[in-house]
Amino acid sequence: MRGRTPRAPVLIAFALSAAVVRMASAAPAEDFSRGVGAPPPTRWAEGSKFDFARAATLAAAEVRLDASEQASPSSQEEPVPLEVYTGYAFLRDQAGDVSVPYGWSVAVATPFRTSWLSLQGDVGGSYYRASAGIESNIYTFLGGAKITLPLKGLSTYATVLAGVARSSSGFSGDAIPGVPTGPRSDVAVQGGLGLDLRLSRRFSLRTGVDVRSIFVEGGTVGQIRVIGGVVFRPLGGGASEESSQSPPAPTPSAAPPRPTSPPPPAPAQEPEPAPTTPPPAPAPPPRSPDVVPGGPAGSFARGQDLLRRGDYDAAAGAFVDYVRSSAAGKYAVALGTFCETENVRRQVERSGGAQGVFLLPVSLSGRSCYRLLWGIYETYEEALRAVRTVPTALRARGQIPVALERLPP
């Protein structure tokens, strides 16, 4: 019981005052026949013993009532037994510098021993359709902990989750021979912050931001997800504004009120299907990067000459100079990352001397490695279509466009 003054000392003082008044003014019944006078000393002692015993009895009863109120479940906040969230998800892929506006997310959380710590499972999906007919999907299956800080009328939360990201890519039309398609699974971790606006004991509105890292072969893919939707509590729970107020003070003869059972859950409504948009018109085929688009013959040509001669460090330096001076804001197709020079030499030989192949330096776990790339293109869409033009001997799964300005050290 919070913010309440104990009543036992007050009752003891009141009983003592009543005893003094009674001893000073009241007379025994057998003395009234002799007139008002001082009662015998034995009656004073009996009256005094009676009043002190009554005060002690009232004080003990009050202490017991105070203890029962403090232990009563109705005076404390109830933990939320289960909550289910569903809503819309907007994804931003940092590696490809592309936005994915079609997505959804579902999360289920249940308390773990305390009302502020929960175990949460999260499932989400995002879908991307490019004008070149390339389709990419990504699904995440994550689990972890959720920490909630309740406030008046709303609550904030933070999540730390880990699990699997399963992605796939393909073509809406005929597949291209030698271009790999199909699903792949990678380890993913995700942290998030959000806000719940309570509408009732069962419903809340939620918005939040998640930061995700997916550990793919040769590096890490960063993603940012923004969510918004509805939280539903099938079993009720959580102290509402009415139940968070102090209960009425009980009397010695009345027992503390019992909490009422929650009403039966309302039937869940199925969300309306999102409208689909017609597929965009096919774009013209990409141009082959036999000559670097818009590139000067200086540093890039010097880098390719060094690359053919096997001087990979000097070639990487020349390509870095070119990217910084002439390819800011442009894109290339990532072919792979190699830390052994023998593997780099083998890839260069397989390219057959194609002028679109170049490399940039990268550090992985303290090792000096090389990121092999194909072509330089003005936009992400153009680089995505250029996946079709990668030499057959260099094609591998997971080759995607990357922003060049993010790659040089």
Side-chain angles (χ1 to χ4, degrees):
M1 184 174 61
R2 296 170 294 182
R4 186 174 177 183
T5 305
R7 290 175 288 179
V10 178
L11 288 177
I12 293 176
F14 177 80
L16 292 176
S17 301
V20 173
V21 174
R22 184 172 182 269
M23 288 187 293
S25 60
E30 57 267 29
D31 292 337
F32 285 154
S33 60
R34 300 193 302 265
V36 177
T42 55
R43 298 298 296 174
W44 282 81
E46 292 175 1
S48 177
K49 291 178 182 178
F50 171 79
D51 289 330
F52 276 109
R54 184 183 180 193
T57 302
L58 292 175
E62 180 65 21
V63 170
R64 286 195 301 269
L65 285 174
D66 289 345
S68 64
E69 285 182 358
Q70 293 177 359
S72 174
S74 63
S75 63
Q76 301 189 9
E77 184 177 355
E78 301 175 7
V80 178
L82 180 70
E83 65 177 22
V84 180
Y85 162 80
T86 180
Y88 167 79
F90 175 89
L91 186 67
R92 177 71 178 178
D93 189 282
Q94 298 295 98
D97 198 17
V98 63
S99 299
V100 184
Y102 306 108
W104 54 269
S105 64
V106 175
V108 179
T110 184
F112 181 72
R113 297 189 177 181
T114 63
S115 60
W116 55 269
L117 179 62
S118 302
L119 299 179
Q120 176 166 311
D122 185 288
V123 179
S126 298
Y127 312 94
Y128 180 75
R129 302 293 183 269
S131 58
I134 298 179
E135 303 177 352
S136 297
N137 303 327
I138 180 169
Y139 301 91
T140 54
F141 307 88
L142 308 175
K146 175 187 175 187
I147 298 176
T148 304
L149 177 62
L151 303 173
K152 186 174 181 181
L154 52 86
S155 62
T156 60
Y157 70 87
T159 58
V160 179
L161 309 175
V164 176
R166 188 166 179 83
S167 58
S168 62
S169 60
F171 300 93
S172 58
D174 296 334
I176 301 177
V179 176
T181 59
R184 58 175 295 170
S185 299
D186 302 289
V187 177
V189 295
Q190 177 177 294
L193 296 173
L195 183 70
D196 289 352
L197 176 61
R198 180 180 290 273
L199 303 179
S200 66
R201 287 175 61 89
R202 295 183 180 274
F203 291 94
S204 297
L205 297 179
R206 171 172 295 180
T207 182
V209 178
D210 301 320
V211 179
R212 180 189 302 160
S213 294
I214 302 176
F215 300 94
V216 300
E217 182 180 1
T220 303
V221 176
Q223 296 178 344
I224 298 177
R225 185 179 71 165
V226 180
I227 63 172
V230 179
V231 179
F232 173 61
R233 302 175 186 85
L235 305 178
S240 60
E241 295 184 359
E242 292 78 12
S243 62
S244 61
Q245 299 177 355
S246 301
T251 60
S253 59
R258 297 180 179 178
T260 59
S261 59
Q269 298 181 357
E270 297 183 356
E272 297 181 358
T276 58
T277 58
R287 51 183 172 179
S288 176
D290 292 336
V291 178
V292 179
S299 57
F300 194 91
R302 186 176 74 255
Q304 286 206 323
D305 182 63
L306 294 170
L307 182 64
R308 285 189 293 269
R309 288 190 290 174
D311 193 350
Y312 304 126
D313 290 338
F319 289 129
V320 168
D321 293 340
Y322 171 79
V323 169
R324 288 177 174 172
S325 62
S326 305
K330 298 182 180 180
Y331 299 84
V333 179
L335 302 180
T337 302
F338 306 93
C339 296
E340 300 293 337
T341 56
E342 179 62 24
N343 293 334
V344 177
R345 183 191 63 80
R346 195 174 299 146
Q347 294 296 320
V348 173
E349 289 181 354
R350 289 177 179 176
S351 68
Q355 296 184 12
V357 176
F358 67 102
L359 54 79
L360 294 175
V362 62
S363 178
L364 293 178
S365 302
R367 300 182 61 187
S368 297
C369 305
Y370 303 96
R371 191 188 301 271
L372 201 63
L373 301 150
W374 171 256
I376 297 177
Y377 302 93
E378 296 291 337
T379 65
Y380 181 87
E381 296 288 340
E382 187 178 353
L384 189 62
R385 294 193 299 269
V387 174
R388 300 168 178 261
T389 67
V390 174
T392 304
L394 300 181
R395 292 178 182 175
R397 178 178 297 180
Q399 293 175 341
I400 59 174
V402 293
L404 288 174
E405 61 186 7
R406 302 176 183 269
L407 300 182

